[in-house]
Amino acid sequence: MLGGMSRVLSLVTFQIEACHREEFLKRAKEQLKPYWEEHGSERYEVYEEMGPTGPTGRLVELNILPDRDAYTEMTKLVRTAGDLPAAPYRHVREPQFQVMEWRV
């Protein structure tokens, strides 16, 4: 690709009730990170969304993918895979999706 290396950042920002937050974070570490990294993500992380005045109360799930093709494959996987770990996501509310190309 002209202009150097390129990555795709897939971010999902969402609300999760405080009573389910610790369970989600535990499952993200134990189930989601290995799953997404086995299925094309170079890096998977979950962190608190920060606004201008501090934490917003929402979480951000980040997948860094090697390129657009890997992102396309991951979106196909989400629609067709029978083994997606659904339990961690059951309390997620108001998801907002953002995809960016990151050129280095």
Side-chain angles (χ1 to χ4, degrees):
M1 173 171 260
L2 294 174
M5 304 262 304
S6 179
R7 298 281 187 275
V8 173
L9 281 67
S10 171
L11 298 111
V12 182
T13 307
F14 55 89
Q15 192 74 281
I16 194 159
E17 292 179 42
C19 60
H20 300 298
R21 182 180 286 257
E22 286 307 312
E23 177 193 355
F24 178 85
L25 294 173
K26 182 177 188 289
R27 287 178 183 262
K29 185 178 185 179
E30 295 173 359
Q31 296 174 337
L32 299 176
K33 183 175 179 62
Y35 182 84
W36 291 120
E37 290 180 353
E38 287 170 15
H39 289 86
S41 182
E42 289 185 339
R43 185 166 152 194
Y44 171 90
E45 290 185 23
V46 174
Y47 54 92
E48 276 197 68
E49 180 183 61
M50 296 296 285
T53 58
T56 65
R58 293 172 63 84
L59 294 177
V60 179
E61 180 181 66
L62 166 71
N63 274 294
I64 299 177
L65 299 138
D67 54 32
R68 289 180 185 188
D69 291 339
Y71 175 74
T72 300
E73 287 302 310
M74 183 175 276
T75 58
K76 282 183 197 171
L77 175 76
V78 168
R79 290 191 303 269
T80 61
D83 67 342
L84 285 174
Y89 295 115
R90 72 181 178 271
H91 298 294
V92 166
R93 302 284 181 264
E94 302 171 30
Q96 296 175 323
F97 300 86
Q98 186 174 14
V99 179
M100 295 179 281
E101 190 169 33
W102 176 24
R103 293 180 184 212
V104 184

